């Protein structure tokens, strides 16, 4: 059998400059998400420039929030390695931090431009979960977001290609590929959201977004429980706690909006 070495996380090395596969993969997901959102926005009458303007604000703020989120819950390490706080090219950004940051920007952006936020959220949700599914392969290249120690035989029993199996050999031990599980969950959610997005007899405005939140939170809760590199708040996995909050919150808002669908509610609720 041919032994395959672990993949190089550096995509391009030019003198002192390095471009990491992590950044390339994340950027690819963002670009594809933007293209998808622009096309759907055009169909719904939202100018293309609004998506570019939103991204110009949301992308840097989401990255900053994702890094702050990660650093805060890893503060014992970063307090003695402050020079590494900005080293996002080595990984270490938390998607929930990015989601919270992007949502905050969305709220103020839509309010300022007088865009219905539920419509905007319905447009971007499928694209976002697609980008999340792609982005998990950045974790794969950095050998992070993995699960407990397992055997090579177990990984082979899942019919994984050898290059994935060897990349899961981390610090001398094979690991459960939780990055792959979440990527597949996200991409499945992407397909489902596309299938239901244009079904007005089935879903009302804003419910594609709520479906995204519930779907992602449910999968993340389960998969996070398999990981061994979770961010912790005492004995609690932070991502599992947020997943419960988001899942329950999405269902409560969904039911509440359905019950009050005939009421005159503010633009950000109705």
């Amino acid at each position: 059998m041919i032994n395959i070495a672990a993949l190089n996380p550096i995509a391009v090395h030019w003198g002192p400059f390095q471009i990491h596969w992590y950044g390339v993969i994340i950027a690819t997901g963002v670009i594809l998400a933007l293209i998808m959102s622009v096309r759907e926005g055009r169909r719904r009458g939202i100018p293309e420039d609004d998506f570019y303007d939103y991204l110009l604000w949301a992308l840097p703020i989401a990255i900053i929030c994702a890094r702050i989120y990660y650093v805060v819950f890893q503060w014992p390490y970063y307090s003695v390695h402050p020079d590494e706080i900005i080293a996002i090219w080595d990984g270490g950004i938390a998607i929930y931090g990015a989601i919270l940051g992007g949502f905050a920007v969305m709220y103020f952006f839509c309010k300022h431009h007088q865009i219905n936020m539920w419509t905007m959220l319905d447009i971007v949700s499928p694209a976002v979960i697609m980008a999340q599914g792609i982005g998990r392969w950045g974790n794969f290249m950095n050998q992070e977001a993995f699960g407990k120690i397992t055997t090579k035989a177990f990984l082979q029993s899942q019919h994984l290609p050898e290059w994935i199996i060897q990349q899961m050999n981390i610090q001398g031990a094979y690991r459960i590929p939780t990055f792959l599980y979440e990527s597949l969950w996200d991409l499945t959610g992407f397909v489902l959201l596309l299938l239901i997005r244009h079904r007005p007899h089935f879903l009302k405005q804003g419910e594609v977004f709520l479906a995204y939140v519930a779907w992602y939170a449910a999968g993340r809760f389960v998969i996070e429980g398999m990981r061994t590199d979770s961010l912790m708040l005492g004995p609690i996995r932070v991502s599992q706690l947020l997943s419960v909050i988001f899942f329950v919150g999405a269902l409560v808002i969904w039911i509440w909006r359905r019950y009050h669908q005939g009421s005159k509610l503010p633009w950000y609720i109705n």
Side-chain angles (χ1 to χ4, degrees):
M1 180 180 294
I2 298 175
N3 290 322
I4 300 175
L7 301 174
N8 188 348
I10 308 299
V12 178
H13 195 159
W14 184 42
F17 300 101
Q18 295 179 341
I19 299 178
H20 291 238
W21 278 114
Y22 185 88
V24 172
I25 292 170
I26 296 295
T28 300
V30 170
I31 292 171
L32 291 176
L34 176 62
I35 292 171
M36 284 190 57
S37 297
V38 166
R39 292 183 62 182
E40 178 63 14
R42 188 180 300 124
R43 196 187 72 83
R44 299 195 185 202
I46 296 180
E48 182 175 337
D49 287 347
D50 284 345
F51 292 95
Y52 296 133
D53 291 344
Y54 169 72
L55 188 64
L56 286 175
W57 286 100
L59 184 58
I61 291 175
I63 292 173
I64 291 170
C65 290
R67 186 60 173 177
I68 291 174
Y69 181 107
Y70 184 84
V71 169
V72 165
F73 291 107
Q74 293 279 30
W75 187 244
Y77 175 83
Y78 286 104
S79 63
V80 295
H81 299 88
D83 57 309
E84 296 182 25
I85 289 177
I86 64 171
I88 62 172
W89 47 85
D90 290 328
I93 58 175
I95 189 60
Y96 268 141
I99 290 173
L100 292 171
F103 183 82
V105 175
M106 176 73 75
Y107 174 82
F108 290 106
F109 182 86
C110 289
K111 190 171 184 179
H112 177 73
H113 290 271
Q114 297 184 327
I115 301 172
N116 186 291
M117 190 172 72
W118 287 118
T119 299
M120 196 73 161
L121 289 171
D122 280 349
I123 290 172
V124 304
S125 291
V128 168
I129 199 170
M130 175 203 65
Q132 289 175 250
I134 293 172
R136 279 301 171 193
W137 289 89
N139 298 133
F140 168 72
M141 294 301 299
N142 278 355
Q143 294 185 306
E144 57 190 9
F146 49 78
K148 66 180 181 179
I149 293 175
T150 187
T151 64
K152 185 175 183 179
F154 172 78
L155 297 179
Q156 290 174 331
S157 71
Q158 296 191 325
H159 306 289
L160 299 176
E162 190 66 20
W163 56 275
I164 290 183
I165 292 174
Q166 288 308 120
Q167 191 71 357
M168 287 295 98
N169 188 343
I170 301 170
Q171 297 178 348
Y174 288 98
R175 298 281 186 162
I176 299 291
T178 48
F179 90 91
L180 177 61
Y181 301 160
E182 186 167 335
S183 178
L184 294 175
W185 179 262
D186 291 346
L187 294 176
T188 301
F190 164 65
V191 173
L192 292 176
L193 290 180
L194 287 184
L195 290 174
I196 66 175
R197 181 162 64 180
H198 302 308
R199 301 291 187 275
H201 61 283
F202 179 60
L203 292 181
K204 298 184 180 298
Q205 186 183 60
E207 292 182 350
V208 170
F209 167 69
L210 295 176
Y212 154 69
V213 173
W215 178 271
Y216 178 72
R220 182 61 186 270
F221 179 86
V222 174
I223 296 168
E224 189 69 23
M226 303 179 189
R227 290 176 56 170
T228 58
D229 60 344
S230 299
L231 299 177
M232 305 297 291
L233 183 62
I236 301 174
R237 297 174 189 260
V238 180
S239 290
Q240 283 193 315
L241 176 61
L242 282 178
S243 293
V244 171
I245 293 172
F246 287 161
F247 183 82
V248 173
L251 290 184
V252 169
I253 293 172
W254 191 321
I255 294 170
W256 192 87
R257 291 179 76 237
R258 284 275 179 157
Y259 181 75
H260 292 277
Q261 60 184 331
S263 304
K264 292 184 178 181
L265 301 174
W267 67 271
Y268 51 85
I269 297 177
N270 194 17

